[in-house]
Each structure stands twice: as structure tokens, then as C-alpha cells.
Amino acid sequence: MMQKFSDKAAAVQPDGTAGRRALLKALVAAPVALPALTTGAARAGAEISPDLALAAASMGLISSNVCAVMPETTEGPYYLDPELVRQDITEGKPGIPLRMQIQVVTADCRPVGGARVDLWQCDAQGDYSGYANMGSDRDGNTVGQTFLRGTQMADENGVVTFDTIYPGWYRGRTTHIHYKVFLDDSTVLTSQTFLPDALSEYVYLRHPAYTREGQRDTVNSVDGIAAQAGEGAFAAIREQKDRYVAALVVGVDPEAEWDEAGQGMGRPPRRDGQEGGPPPQGGPNAQRDADPAMFPGPAAPTE
């Protein structure tokens, strides 16, 4: 079911009396007996021990990358808010089905029920909705379209679910999905999540919706924004009969305020779609090496 809303503050303040941000500050300040979960997971990218993974599962967290306050990464030039609260954001776009689950928690692993999460991504051909000058030839126009964008409100476990497609690629960036988290009428976190290169390569080579001229030029290991986000930004992904399912636990700081300034993406195009160019580079090193490591582990012998 799809609905629109315009009062963002009301949408994330169900009781109408206390803001989400104030409530979460109180929760974070309260003592909590979670030593197993807070040890070794204080930052994105911390290694997850088997004990921590088991503890995460026992608490109902959807991924073992837990309790890490995620670093901010750039919003990029293609965010729009079409005010569409919906789980299915595909709008008929072709591609391999992907169910993206995001769980919002505080740094001490308390789920944030009622948090608002916005998600947006490119389609199988690397184009975003709502803009002109899309595609490698800059001749695509998606102004007025809203595919692969949507909003969900977290349930009591802090979880939102979006039914989408596996994202495509565009020059200068590795495969990624954007998201924003709101605790009241202000953004608390803007970041991106990433997917395994081996799976992306398989999808792009095997599924006709992703067929295109040229070769993907950027992978996870050389994407500057992926490096900034850290290991905690990589979604845990599993295969089901009819789709892939990706899970990401997002730790938020209730005192944070999002500021796009200084995020390194340059000036965005106009939101009316009349100007703008191709998506910008992912960072100073965001170019694919001549022969990048595509699969985990040591390189295969050449002879």
C-alpha cells in the first residue's frame, strides 16, 4: 500500500508529545547491560566475533554488524523526496528482485521504532528517477518519475523493508544504495550501503536487464565513498528462491545533525531536471584498476 505524507515531524512522533531525538538521548544515557554487544562493535568496520554474532541473533538484530554508529557519507546529487510511503518501490522496473532490510538502532543496540528511512537507488541501467541528463550519453530524461524511491517507518524492532531490484552501475561509483534516517523533522544520518563485487559482477553478466555497452569501471576496493563508510556499511546478503535479501544494521547518534557541506560531491544538479551532468566520481581513487581483485582471497595463479 502506498500513501503520501507532508508532515515529516508528525510522521516520526507517534505520541505527539516528545520528539524522537529527545527520547533517544534519554535511552542512550540510561545504563544497559549489553557488554557482549558493545565490546568490539563501537565503530563501523569492527571485526565481528562468533560470540557477538550469536548475541546479535539472540536480540533479534538482522545482521551481526551491530551497534556501530555509521559514518555519514555524501547524499550525492540525486536525492528527491516524492513523499511516497511504500514498501515496493520498483514501479515495474526490470531487474533481479532485492529485498532491502534496514534496522535502525542506537549505539547501545536499542532498536529505534518509528524512525523514518528514505531509500533511493539507480535502476539496472544506472539511471535515477526525477532527473534529466541520465545515462552514459547523458540523453536520458526521467523528470517526473519516482521509480526506486520510497519511505518506510521502522517497526517496533527498528526495521524497515523495501522491495526493490538489484542496483545497476554507473561510471565512477561502485554498486550502492542510498538511505537517510530521520528521528524527527531533521536528518540524523545520510549514508550508503554496498553489495559484494562478485555478486554484482555475476548479476551484470547474466541478467539481460543489466546488459549495456562498456564495462563497470569502479569496484568496492577502489571506491572512495565505500572506504569512508567502512566495513559496517556492507549489507549481509542471502539468496532466496525468488529474490536476494540484503540486511543492514544502522547505528545512529541521536545528537547528530546532517550537513551535506564538506561531503565532497560538488554542486548537485537542479531538482527540476534542466541541468546537471553524469554522476560524479566516488573519490580520488574511484577508478577501476586494470585487473582489480573481484573475488575474496588470494589471486588465482596466472600460469
Side-chain angles (χ1 to χ4, degrees):
M1 181 177 180
M2 181 176 67
Q3 67 182 95
K4 286 195 172 187
F5 68 92
S6 57
D7 188 350
K8 299 180 179 64
V12 291
Q13 294 182 10
D15 61 6
T17 59
R20 299 295 304 165
R21 196 183 302 269
L23 176 61
L24 286 169
K25 287 179 181 177
L27 287 174
V28 170
V32 57
L34 291 174
L37 284 173
T38 55
T39 301
R43 61 178 180 85
E47 292 186 4
I48 304 300
S49 69
D51 289 342
L52 183 59
L54 179 61
S58 68
M59 288 193 65
L61 300 181
I62 62 175
S63 171
S64 58
N65 279 337
V66 301
C67 309
V69 175
M70 298 296 290
E72 294 178 340
T73 61
T74 182
E75 176 183 293
Y78 296 123
Y79 174 68
L80 292 174
D81 178 12
E83 298 186 347
L84 297 175
V85 180
R86 56 185 183 176
Q87 177 172 325
D88 188 339
I89 63 173
T90 57
E91 293 191 13
K93 277 289 180 177
I96 292 180
L98 175 71
R99 176 161 290 169
M100 184 73 227
Q101 295 182 311
I102 296 176
Q103 185 173 34
V104 183
V105 300
T106 59
D108 58 359
C109 292
R110 295 177 182 269
V112 184
R116 171 186 166 184
V117 179
D118 287 6
L119 185 142
W120 71 104
Q121 66 172 78
C122 67
D123 65 8
Q125 292 292 302
D127 296 337
Y128 289 88
S129 62
Y131 287 91
N133 304 315
M134 289 284 101
S136 299
D137 297 328
R138 307 186 193 182
D139 58 357
N141 190 333
T142 62
V143 173
Q145 300 181 45
T146 58
F147 60 81
L148 303 177
R149 299 180 182 274
T151 295
Q152 283 283 286
M153 299 312 197
D155 63 17
E156 64 274 15
N157 296 314
V159 177
V160 297
T161 300
F162 292 92
D163 287 329
T164 181
I165 61 169
Y166 200 92
W169 62 274
Y170 51 86
R171 294 187 62 80
R173 289 303 318 279
T174 192
T175 305
H176 64 283
I177 295 174
H178 299 262
Y179 66 89
K180 281 179 176 282
V181 178
F182 300 80
L183 297 186
D184 46 32
D185 57 348
S186 299
T187 313
V188 169
L189 176 67
T190 298
S191 196
Q192 301 175 22
T193 186
F194 304 91
L195 300 166
D197 276 325
L199 178 58
S200 297
E201 198 79 349
Y202 179 85
V203 166
Y204 300 153
L205 290 174
R206 297 298 185 94
H207 195 283
Y210 300 87
T211 301
R212 54 194 291 191
E213 294 182 0
Q215 184 183 30
R216 188 164 63 120
D217 68 341
T218 307
V219 294
N220 293 333
S221 60
V222 294
D223 185 275
I225 296 173
Q228 176 188 1
E231 291 297 321
F234 285 80
I237 192 160
R238 65 186 189 275
E239 184 178 5
Q240 293 188 338
K241 182 178 180 180
D242 58 346
R243 72 184 73 234
Y244 289 111
V245 178
L248 182 73
V249 175
V250 174
V252 297
D253 175 2
E255 296 185 3
E257 294 283 355
W258 168 248
D259 182 5
E260 174 70 5
Q263 292 301 313
M265 291 300 283
R267 189 174 184 179
R270 285 168 45 183
R271 294 292 169 88
D272 59 11
Q274 298 304 307
E275 296 181 358
Q281 301 294 328
N285 298 316
Q287 292 298 310
R288 183 172 181 163
D289 297 334
D291 187 19
M294 188 60 66
F295 296 96
T302 57
E303 297 182 358

